[in-house]
Amino acid sequence: MPNDVLTFKRGGVHPEDRKYLSSKKAIEILPTPKEVIVSLSQHLGAPAKALKAKGDKVVKGEKIGTASSFISAEVHSPVNGTIKAIKKVTLANSVSCDAYVIEVDQEAPEVDFVKTEWKNKTKEELLATIKDLGVVGMGGATFPAHVKFSIPKGKEAEYLVINGVECEPYLTSDHRTMLERAEGVVEGIMIIARVIGAKKIIVGIEVNKMDAIKHLREVIEASGYQIQVQPLKMKYPQGDEKQLLSATIKKEIPSGKLPLDIGAVVSNVGTCFAVYEACAKNKPLFERIVSVTGECIKEPKNVLAPIGTKIGELIDFCGGFTEEPDKIVSGGPMMGFSFYDLETPIQKGTSGVISIKIENIAPQTACISCGKCVQACPIGLMPTMLYRNINVGAYDMALNKYSLMDCKECGSCAFVCPAHIPLVHTFKFGKKMARRKK
Ligand code: SF4
Ligand code: SF4
């Protein structure tokens, strides 16, 4: 292990990572499905406005939805085909939105995307391409990338910090991206650095991915770019922007502020690759790598699949279930949402489809005031006091005295709680009630 390993200051937990299930498997390409379901809400913010109607023919990469407000993003067809219907779908995060059901034309010729030299483009042109080709944060947050990379007047992005942490258990899609697509990731990093005007670039990677650290360093050295690859200790939730910046640049984001307020922009490695494909290949974001894994999957894999693929098809591609899972999670098990059914499509932010058994479901007991949740909280909150106040309806107290809105819902407190209290569920409920009261 290298001796320059860093981590964030406060709290954090060490869940068993279980990445061995899929981390050694090279990315496999899913054969194009017969049908995809592409939602107009692929991103944080307002859903895109539909540009197509039932019966319209679409070509792979064609724009089918356009940003409907400042925080919104373009949506492109991941396949050649015909729009069979526009219907309401419920996504894993419980959001209900309009989606295109596209019947795939398997006979249509493959679409070629034209390579361009991104270095000849201005930063305004690069930013416009990132917007036009629908790039959003691929780490799960799906914040529209062009909004994040637009630095407002009076602000400065001194640091660009790249998130190669992937601290959620099971997920390995970023790990495989760094191993198999490193050249594209590095070009994407330099494109973002040019757009935001960053002076210092750091890639943070946890030490359970030493092969990715080594490979990325080799690719960076060969490229001649000035990028530091920083090994980080394994600790959850290091992939959160707050913790990643604390670990890499030793700066803390104050309550209610953003990374840019301390001179930093954070971007995930998958987003860097998407930026590269957009700016150097003119390829819109219409596919992604998904970790299809968990103890209940026969052959866990990382799969490159069109956005809109139903999770059932991904699971079939990985040999199906070994046994009935207790739940199938979108993203990682610490912060992810449960899928309702196998027809639910993947989105731009779906990093994983994790099928798991819940071992030893322990009954909830009363809080024993052990303080473990307080020690685990990376934000420095008092989860036990938040829980007590929300439980008796004292939402103002939870909000004003115990900073409820600073909670990232990371689940570290619930993970260590010996009383098995559903802390995160309570905090989500408390936030909803506090907003309603407001
Ligand atoms: S879920 Fe909220 S309160 Fe619990 S550890 Fe994470 S940030 Fe702290
Ligand atoms: S960890 Fe659980 S039992 Fe311990 S103080 Fe926190 S809420 Fe109470």
Side-chain angles (χ1 to χ4, degrees):
M1 186 170 305
N3 50 17
D4 60 338
V5 183
L6 303 176
T7 192
F8 57 95
K9 270 209 312 226
R10 187 194 297 127
V13 292
H14 298 92
E16 199 186 326
D17 79 3
R18 305 203 177 185
K19 291 180 187 284
Y20 60 87
L21 290 167
S22 57
S23 62
K24 300 284 177 225
K25 313 254 184 81
I27 299 163
E28 292 187 30
I29 301 171
L30 182 82
T32 310
K34 288 197 179 79
E35 182 183 277
V36 291
I37 302 173
V38 184
S39 96
L40 286 159
S41 197
Q42 298 274 342
H43 45 265
L44 203 86
K49 194 170 132 233
L51 295 175
K52 297 285 174 185
K54 186 179 168 187
D56 284 353
K57 290 211 177 302
V58 289
V59 174
K60 190 192 261 190
E62 184 179 350
K63 196 180 286 183
I64 55 176
T66 191
S68 60
S69 72
F70 179 60
I71 301 184
S72 183
E74 315 292 304
V75 176
H76 301 79
S77 177
V79 292
N80 298 311
T82 306
I83 295 175
K84 226 168 71 174
I86 298 179
K87 67 170 188 179
K88 281 259 180 257
V89 290
T90 303
L91 304 169
N93 59 2
S94 303
V95 168
S96 174
C97 61
D98 287 333
Y100 293 108
V101 181
I102 308 176
E103 190 172 44
V104 177
D105 177 359
Q106 303 279 3
E107 305 302 321
E110 257 311 304
V111 177
D112 285 327
F113 296 98
V114 188
K115 282 191 179 169
T116 55
E117 180 48 80
W118 69 263
K119 288 175 184 156
N120 296 337
K121 294 185 184 176
T122 64
K123 68 177 194 179
E124 290 76 18
E125 287 168 336
L126 292 168
L127 194 60
T129 304
I130 291 167
K131 177 182 189 298
D132 199 41
L133 299 190
V135 181
V136 303
M138 304 283 282
T142 63
F143 196 78
H146 65 280
V147 181
K148 187 185 253 192
F149 302 153
S150 300
I151 309 300
K153 274 207 174 74
K155 298 268 181 200
E156 202 187 325
E158 185 185 355
Y159 296 95
L160 171 60
V161 177
I162 303 301
N163 189 347
V165 171
E166 206 168 43
C167 60
E168 275 267 11
Y170 293 98
L171 298 180
T172 56
S173 57
D174 285 350
H175 185 179
R176 294 309 313 181
T177 297
M178 289 186 282
L179 284 177
E180 297 181 53
R181 303 174 137 198
E183 285 80 4
V185 169
V186 169
E187 291 299 314
I189 292 172
M190 295 313 294
I191 295 168
I192 300 170
R194 177 184 285 186
V195 170
I196 66 170
K199 295 183 185 71
K200 190 156 172 41
I201 308 168
I202 306 169
V203 187
I205 307 175
E206 288 194 343
V207 290
N208 57 352
K209 295 179 271 292
M210 286 308 297
D211 51 355
I213 292 173
K214 182 171 174 284
H215 183 57
L216 216 53
R217 279 180 170 163
E218 286 165 358
V219 170
I220 290 166
E221 198 179 331
S223 71
Y225 295 136
Q226 294 297 308
I227 302 173
Q228 178 191 341
V229 177
Q230 178 59 56
L232 302 172
K233 272 186 197 156
M234 284 166 63
K235 193 160 69 160
Y236 179 86
Q238 197 146 235
D240 185 275
E241 290 184 335
K242 242 182 199 264
Q243 280 63 54
L244 182 58
L245 292 177
S246 166
T248 51
I249 65 168
K250 300 283 160 215
K251 288 189 180 188
E252 304 293 324
I253 306 175
S255 169
K257 298 285 181 189
L258 296 168
L260 202 50
D261 293 312
I262 57 166
V265 166
V266 178
S267 190
N268 166 270
V269 287
T271 315
C272 297
F273 189 77
V275 164
Y276 159 72
E277 291 218 293
C279 296
K281 291 179 164 177
N282 276 316
K283 189 173 167 187
L285 176 52
F286 57 68
E287 61 187 13
R288 72 155 297 140
I289 300 165
V290 186
S291 297
V292 186
T293 181
E295 285 75 17
C296 300
I297 292 287
K298 211 170 199 171
E299 290 174 63
K301 291 176 184 175
N302 284 292
V303 185
L304 178 64
I307 303 298
T309 301
K310 297 168 196 169
I311 62 159
E313 299 205 30
L314 285 169
I315 291 166
D316 286 347
F317 184 67
C318 296
F321 296 126
T322 49
E323 58 179 322
E324 192 68 25
D326 288 322
K327 63 176 181 176
I328 308 174
V329 183
S330 168
M334 296 293 282
M335 287 191 76
F337 300 94
S338 291
F339 284 108
Y340 293 101
D341 63 34
L342 299 176
E343 292 284 298
T344 309
I346 60 160
Q347 299 268 95
K348 289 179 183 175
T350 312
S351 50
V353 174
I354 322 282
S355 301
I356 45 180
K357 274 272 174 223
I358 302 170
E359 292 151 20
N360 309 322
I361 302 173
Q364 183 186 331
T365 55
C367 172
I368 54 168
S369 301
C370 65
K372 284 188 176 167
C373 55
V374 181
Q375 279 168 24
C377 181
I379 310 293
L381 304 179
M382 295 183 71
T384 179
M385 296 311 291
L386 283 171
Y387 176 73
R388 282 178 200 174
N389 280 285
I390 294 167
N391 242 1
V392 296
Y395 307 118
D396 286 345
M397 196 73 164
L399 205 64
N400 301 324
K401 185 158 184 207
Y402 295 106
S403 309
L404 174 61
M405 290 306 176
D406 283 349
C407 169
K408 299 283 217 171
E409 300 170 15
C410 70
S412 298
C413 51
F415 178 78
V416 294
C417 176
H420 307 288
I421 295 169
L423 294 167
V424 182
H425 180 81
T426 306
F427 303 157
K428 284 182 182 171
F429 173 76
K431 284 183 187 177
K432 204 182 271 177
M433 294 309 286
R435 277 193 206 107
R436 199 172 284 173
K437 240 183 132 190
K438 231 176 180 178

